[in-house]
Amino acid sequence: MSIKTQNISFAYHKKAILKEISFALQPGTLGVIMGPNGSGKSTLLKIINRLIEPQSGTIFIAGNDYRKITRRELARHCGYMPQKSAAVHCTVFEAVLLGHQALNPERCEAEKGLQQVDKILKLIHLNHLSDRFTNTLSGGELQRVVIARALVREPKILLLDEPTNHLDLINQLEVMSLLKEITHKLNLTTLVVTHDLNSALRFADSFILLKDGTLHAAGPKNIITSECIEEVFNLKSVIAEIAGFPVVVPIQQD
Ligand code: ADP
Ligand code: MG
């Protein structure tokens, strides 16, 4: 399902946080939202997931104005992972099953739920950890459980707020690689907030750059230039190609 935001503006207590944000993302695309702390990334993701309402502008989901879609229906289409999610103490299987039941507990068909959890655990390469307690997992494994939870209701849109935060280098790469794989395999429209420019350059199809609540630029990889990085992050850098991948190398500032 495509996402198209049209002139989204949002304010907390009259303080403008997002100003006239417009961009579009197609199915089968991994998009990243990037920008300095406080630039409005999490707010934008919450608006798309309809946790908060913009003061003006709207969003089209698969071409339909999202205000005409019921919240329940939107929740069925969108898998959302907030920046801070509470840990649950249970097995991996139970944690993912909870994600399935959260939406529609009274009508949940038990057998279907169990099958669905099995399917997703295999897809995310977590089936071997199915009976492990979540508090015994590594950061990277736990993050994959959280992604599995967001995926278990078969959403068409995936919204993830800093899924690679606090992960070591190898797990950052694995999570981004997994997100690219499932986005393409399931034809999802995936939007990820991340600070990791190099993983984004390696795996993402589309970039949305925010600065002080405004959209600085949106588009494919080639919008990421050293000028653009300096304007958005106030950081001098060069972009070099290493082992076939573009890599951002910050330059020491005196
Ligand atoms: P980012 O995710 O890019 O770091 P956020 O979207 O979380 O930024 O926040 C953008 C701005 O909105 C920040 O200045 C932040 O302090 C402010 N903000 C976020 N949540 C609230 C809130 N609940 N009430 C008031 N201001 C908020
Ligand atoms: Mg944030």
Side-chain angles (χ1 to χ4, degrees):
M1 287 181 156
S2 61
I3 302 172
K4 184 175 170 218
T5 74
Q6 194 173 66
N7 299 326
I8 292 288
S9 294
F10 179 83
Y12 275 120
H13 320 296
K14 300 206 170 131
K15 182 179 173 245
I17 305 292
L18 291 173
K19 297 157 214 156
E20 308 260 314
I21 306 290
S22 300
F23 67 88
L25 206 61
Q26 296 306 318
T29 308
L30 173 59
V32 286
I33 304 178
M34 305 193 78
N37 290 331
S39 55
K41 304 178 297 294
S42 295
T43 305
L44 181 57
L45 219 56
K46 285 180 198 163
I47 289 173
I48 297 171
N49 199 33
R50 218 168 167 194
L51 291 172
I52 48 180
E53 296 277 337
Q55 273 83 11
S56 62
T58 190
I59 296 170
F60 295 91
I61 303 288
N64 300 306
D65 190 327
Y66 84 153
R67 289 168 301 195
K68 295 191 181 129
I69 307 173
T70 63
R71 274 173 201 274
R72 178 171 289 243
E73 205 182 332
L74 192 69
R76 227 183 49 227
H77 297 320
C78 290
Y80 171 65
M81 189 203 101
Q83 193 165 346
K84 299 179 192 101
S85 53
V88 284
H89 180 58
C90 58
T91 68
V92 166
F93 191 93
E94 288 163 346
V96 179
L97 186 62
L98 277 173
H100 186 269
Q101 294 179 337
L103 184 69
N104 208 348
E106 71 278 12
R107 288 174 57 197
C108 175
E109 298 166 45
E111 190 55 35
K112 192 167 168 237
L114 301 179
Q115 283 169 7
Q116 182 62 8
V117 174
D118 261 336
K119 186 174 132 189
I120 295 298
L121 289 179
K122 282 197 187 97
L123 181 78
I124 300 276
H125 319 301
L126 272 178
N127 37 332
H128 62 296
L129 296 176
S130 177
D131 295 330
R132 281 269 295 276
F133 272 87
T134 49
N135 62 338
T136 68
L137 300 177
S138 73
E141 291 162 348
L142 193 59
Q143 202 56 291
R144 292 203 330 258
V145 172
V146 177
I147 293 169
R149 261 180 94 157
L151 272 176
V152 75
R153 291 185 251 126
E154 301 191 302
K156 300 309 289 171
I157 292 171
L158 206 49
L159 307 170
L160 307 170
D161 201 344
E162 301 202 21
T164 58
N165 217 5
H166 309 305
L167 296 184
D168 62 23
L169 205 56
I170 180 97
N171 280 298
Q172 284 176 16
L173 284 171
E174 278 182 15
V175 165
M176 286 302 284
S177 164
L178 176 71
L179 290 174
K180 181 174 180 137
E181 181 191 325
I182 56 173
T183 297
H184 293 182
K185 204 185 262 180
L186 304 176
N187 201 33
L188 303 175
T189 312
T190 304
L191 203 43
V192 175
V193 175
T194 178
H195 288 291
D196 183 2
L197 253 171
N198 286 329
S199 291
L201 276 171
R202 183 160 171 171
F203 296 108
D205 306 300
S206 188
F207 292 76
I208 291 144
L209 297 175
L210 294 184
K211 187 178 188 192
D212 299 332
T214 60
L215 183 73
H216 184 82
K221 218 164 279 191
N222 62 12
I223 67 165
I224 308 295
T225 59
S226 46
E227 292 77 25
C228 167
I229 291 170
E230 184 164 5
E231 283 158 11
V232 174
F233 296 100
N234 205 14
L235 174 75
K236 285 198 191 311
S237 66
V238 288
I239 302 179
E241 193 171 300
I242 299 175
F245 300 109
V247 175
V248 177
V249 183
I251 299 172
Q252 183 72 36
Q253 321 225 38
D254 297 321

